[in-house]
Amino acid sequence: MKYSIEELKSIIKELMSEKRYNHSVMVMEEAGKYVEKYKKGDSSFYEKTIRAALMHDIAKEMSEKEIEEYIKDNNIKLDISNSINKPLIHGIIGADKCTKLYDFDEEMGQSIRWHTTGSTNMSLMDKIVFLADKTGRTNLSPKLVEIRNKAFENLDEGIYLYINNNMEKLKTKGIPINPISIDVQKYFYDKIKKIWKKGWQW
């Protein structure tokens, strides 16, 4: 890889708040644990995945002006006024920046692009970065602890349970649910319904 982990850490440390930087490092460490579980012994996959996890929020704290300028300067087709796009914006820009500036390949970029909402066409790396972002945190709620435990048994079930739980929280707050989340929820439910355990009630 062109950039070492320490070099990438230095890059994002200059771009992020301390809280966001610490989160990024924790997500990287969590992603490494998932790789050890699901792709143990594949050093290339490990190195790529932890880099993608570390850099997943590189565009998270960009201002609206910076976002508008980046989209224009890099000819990205994205309507930032569309509410459907808002959860995707920092992932799309982050993926673009990392592939152009930091030697990330397409697979690494895609895992950054979809780390917030997930998608119906997720690779193993996509799934790991998505879940690491949700479970690589301090003071996890009891439900997130359960989801993390389940994810270490079955990634697809962990993703479904997280999305389902998050959608329920949004409903109780009266917050509209992104159509992408609905599609992803249905996709992963169809994948895991055969192994569904009655003990999980959400």
PDB file of all heavy atoms in Angstrom, residues 22-36:
ATOM      1  N   ASN A  22     -10.844   9.894  17.049  1.00  0.00           N
ATOM      2  CA  ASN A  22     -10.853   8.741  17.962  1.00  0.00           C
ATOM      3  C   ASN A  22     -11.857   7.687  17.503  1.00  0.00           C
ATOM      4  O   ASN A  22     -11.587   6.480  17.586  1.00  0.00           O
ATOM      5  CB  ASN A  22     -11.168   9.195  19.388  1.00  0.00           C
ATOM      6  CG  ASN A  22     -10.046  10.007  20.008  1.00  0.00           C
ATOM      7  OD1 ASN A  22      -8.881   9.890  19.604  1.00  0.00           O
ATOM      8  ND2 ASN A  22     -10.371  10.830  20.981  1.00  0.00           N
ATOM      9  N   HIS A  23     -13.006   8.149  17.030  1.00  0.00           N
ATOM     10  CA  HIS A  23     -14.006   7.225  16.479  1.00  0.00           C
ATOM     11  C   HIS A  23     -13.414   6.459  15.302  1.00  0.00           C
ATOM     12  O   HIS A  23     -13.572   5.230  15.201  1.00  0.00           O
ATOM     13  CB  HIS A  23     -15.245   7.998  16.043  1.00  0.00           C
ATOM     14  CG  HIS A  23     -16.158   7.225  15.129  1.00  0.00           C
ATOM     15  ND1 HIS A  23     -16.918   6.151  15.555  1.00  0.00           N
ATOM     16  CD2 HIS A  23     -16.422   7.366  13.805  1.00  0.00           C
ATOM     17  CE1 HIS A  23     -17.610   5.671  14.537  1.00  0.00           C
ATOM     18  NE2 HIS A  23     -17.334   6.393  13.466  1.00  0.00           N
ATOM     19  N   SER A  24     -12.733   7.147  14.413  1.00  0.00           N
ATOM     20  CA  SER A  24     -12.173   6.512  13.220  1.00  0.00           C
ATOM     21  C   SER A  24     -11.161   5.431  13.586  1.00  0.00           C
ATOM     22  O   SER A  24     -11.131   4.355  12.965  1.00  0.00           O
ATOM     23  CB  SER A  24     -11.523   7.566  12.317  1.00  0.00           C
ATOM     24  OG  SER A  24     -12.484   8.502  11.868  1.00  0.00           O
ATOM     25  N   VAL A  25     -10.338   5.712  14.573  1.00  0.00           N
ATOM     26  CA  VAL A  25      -9.350   4.725  15.019  1.00  0.00           C
ATOM     27  C   VAL A  25     -10.055   3.509  15.629  1.00  0.00           C
ATOM     28  O   VAL A  25      -9.672   2.360  15.372  1.00  0.00           O
ATOM     29  CB  VAL A  25      -8.359   5.346  16.025  1.00  0.00           C
ATOM     30  CG1 VAL A  25      -7.454   4.274  16.623  1.00  0.00           C
ATOM     31  CG2 VAL A  25      -7.518   6.420  15.338  1.00  0.00           C
ATOM     32  N   MET A  26     -11.089   3.733  16.412  1.00  0.00           N
ATOM     33  CA  MET A  26     -11.836   2.621  17.009  1.00  0.00           C
ATOM     34  C   MET A  26     -12.516   1.774  15.936  1.00  0.00           C
ATOM     35  O   MET A  26     -12.566   0.541  16.045  1.00  0.00           O
ATOM     36  CB  MET A  26     -12.870   3.144  18.009  1.00  0.00           C
ATOM     37  CG  MET A  26     -12.280   3.577  19.336  1.00  0.00           C
ATOM     38  SD  MET A  26     -13.545   3.907  20.602  1.00  0.00           S
ATOM     39  CE  MET A  26     -14.221   5.456  19.978  1.00  0.00           C
ATOM     40  N   VAL A  27     -13.041   2.427  14.899  1.00  0.00           N
ATOM     41  CA  VAL A  27     -13.679   1.692  13.808  1.00  0.00           C
ATOM     42  C   VAL A  27     -12.649   0.843  13.071  1.00  0.00           C
ATOM     43  O   VAL A  27     -12.913  -0.311  12.706  1.00  0.00           O
ATOM     44  CB  VAL A  27     -14.398   2.660  12.840  1.00  0.00           C
ATOM     45  CG1 VAL A  27     -14.884   1.928  11.591  1.00  0.00           C
ATOM     46  CG2 VAL A  27     -15.561   3.325  13.542  1.00  0.00           C
ATOM     47  N   MET A  28     -11.462   1.383  12.870  1.00  0.00           N
ATOM     48  CA  MET A  28     -10.385   0.609  12.247  1.00  0.00           C
ATOM     49  C   MET A  28     -10.066  -0.634  13.076  1.00  0.00           C
ATOM     50  O   MET A  28      -9.929  -1.741  12.531  1.00  0.00           O
ATOM     51  CB  MET A  28      -9.125   1.470  12.111  1.00  0.00           C
ATOM     52  CG  MET A  28      -7.931   0.725  11.540  1.00  0.00           C
ATOM     53  SD  MET A  28      -6.377   1.630  11.699  1.00  0.00           S
ATOM     54  CE  MET A  28      -6.077   1.458  13.480  1.00  0.00           C
ATOM     55  N   GLU A  29      -9.947  -0.462  14.375  1.00  0.00           N
ATOM     56  CA  GLU A  29      -9.626  -1.597  15.252  1.00  0.00           C
ATOM     57  C   GLU A  29     -10.745  -2.634  15.252  1.00  0.00           C
ATOM     58  O   GLU A  29     -10.490  -3.845  15.239  1.00  0.00           O
ATOM     59  CB  GLU A  29      -9.363  -1.078  16.668  1.00  0.00           C
ATOM     60  CG  GLU A  29      -8.101  -0.227  16.756  1.00  0.00           C
ATOM     61  CD  GLU A  29      -7.949   0.491  18.091  1.00  0.00           C
ATOM     62  OE1 GLU A  29      -8.922   0.496  18.879  1.00  0.00           O
ATOM     63  OE2 GLU A  29      -6.857   1.041  18.341  1.00  0.00           O
ATOM     64  N   GLU A  30     -11.990  -2.160  15.243  1.00  0.00           N
ATOM     65  CA  GLU A  30     -13.133  -3.062  15.202  1.00  0.00           C
ATOM     66  C   GLU A  30     -13.163  -3.825  13.880  1.00  0.00           C
ATOM     67  O   GLU A  30     -13.437  -5.036  13.854  1.00  0.00           O
ATOM     68  CB  GLU A  30     -14.435  -2.283  15.388  1.00  0.00           C
ATOM     69  CG  GLU A  30     -15.686  -3.133  15.446  1.00  0.00           C
ATOM     70  CD  GLU A  30     -15.959  -3.733  16.811  1.00  0.00           C
ATOM     71  OE1 GLU A  30     -15.032  -3.777  17.644  1.00  0.00           O
ATOM     72  OE2 GLU A  30     -17.095  -4.172  17.049  1.00  0.00           O
ATOM     73  N   ALA A  31     -12.885  -3.144  12.789  1.00  0.00           N
ATOM     74  CA  ALA A  31     -12.862  -3.802  11.478  1.00  0.00           C
ATOM     75  C   ALA A  31     -11.828  -4.916  11.456  1.00  0.00           C
ATOM     76  O   ALA A  31     -12.054  -5.989  10.879  1.00  0.00           O
ATOM     77  CB  ALA A  31     -12.582  -2.779  10.384  1.00  0.00           C
ATOM     78  N   GLY A  32     -10.692  -4.673  12.100  1.00  0.00           N
ATOM     79  CA  GLY A  32      -9.663  -5.703  12.169  1.00  0.00           C
ATOM     80  C   GLY A  32     -10.157  -6.966  12.863  1.00  0.00           C
ATOM     81  O   GLY A  32      -9.806  -8.092  12.470  1.00  0.00           O
ATOM     82  N   LYS A  33     -10.982  -6.792  13.875  1.00  0.00           N
ATOM     83  CA  LYS A  33     -11.539  -7.947  14.589  1.00  0.00           C
ATOM     84  C   LYS A  33     -12.501  -8.729  13.693  1.00  0.00           C
ATOM     85  O   LYS A  33     -12.508  -9.970  13.717  1.00  0.00           O
ATOM     86  CB  LYS A  33     -12.254  -7.481  15.856  1.00  0.00           C
ATOM     87  CG  LYS A  33     -11.330  -6.834  16.879  1.00  0.00           C
ATOM     88  CD  LYS A  33     -12.126  -6.246  18.045  1.00  0.00           C
ATOM     89  CE  LYS A  33     -11.204  -5.490  18.990  1.00  0.00           C
ATOM     90  NZ  LYS A  33     -11.972  -4.826  20.091  1.00  0.00           N
ATOM     91  N   TYR A  34     -13.295  -8.008  12.911  1.00  0.00           N
ATOM     92  CA  TYR A  34     -14.197  -8.695  11.982  1.00  0.00           C
ATOM     93  C   TYR A  34     -13.405  -9.463  10.922  1.00  0.00           C
ATOM     94  O   TYR A  34     -13.775 -10.577  10.548  1.00  0.00           O
ATOM     95  CB  TYR A  34     -15.134  -7.703  11.303  1.00  0.00           C
ATOM     96  CG  TYR A  34     -16.315  -7.264  12.138  1.00  0.00           C
ATOM     97  CD1 TYR A  34     -16.386  -5.980  12.674  1.00  0.00           C
ATOM     98  CD2 TYR A  34     -17.374  -8.134  12.386  1.00  0.00           C
ATOM     99  CE1 TYR A  34     -17.478  -5.567  13.434  1.00  0.00           C
ATOM    100  CE2 TYR A  34     -18.472  -7.735  13.137  1.00  0.00           C
ATOM    101  CZ  TYR A  34     -18.507  -6.449  13.664  1.00  0.00           C
ATOM    102  OH  TYR A  34     -19.590  -6.060  14.412  1.00  0.00           O
ATOM    103  N   VAL A  35     -12.331  -8.870  10.433  1.00  0.00           N
ATOM    104  CA  VAL A  35     -11.508  -9.562   9.434  1.00  0.00           C
ATOM    105  C   VAL A  35     -10.912 -10.833  10.029  1.00  0.00           C
ATOM    106  O   VAL A  35     -10.872 -11.886   9.374  1.00  0.00           O
ATOM    107  CB  VAL A  35     -10.393  -8.644   8.891  1.00  0.00           C
ATOM    108  CG1 VAL A  35      -9.486  -9.432   7.937  1.00  0.00           C
ATOM    109  CG2 VAL A  35     -10.983  -7.443   8.167  1.00  0.00           C
ATOM    110  N   GLU A  36     -10.452 -10.746  11.264  1.00  0.00           N
ATOM    111  CA  GLU A  36      -9.901 -11.928  11.930  1.00  0.00           C
ATOM    112  C   GLU A  36     -10.935 -13.041  12.023  1.00  0.00           C
ATOM    113  O   GLU A  36     -10.605 -14.223  11.965  1.00  0.00           O
ATOM    114  CB  GLU A  36      -9.399 -11.558  13.322  1.00  0.00           C
ATOM    115  CG  GLU A  36      -8.067 -10.826  13.334  1.00  0.00           C
ATOM    116  CD  GLU A  36      -6.938 -11.705  12.795  1.00  0.00           C
ATOM    117  OE1 GLU A  36      -6.702 -12.783  13.377  1.00  0.00           O
ATOM    118  OE2 GLU A  36      -6.330 -11.329  11.780  1.00  0.00           O
TER     119      GLU A  36
END
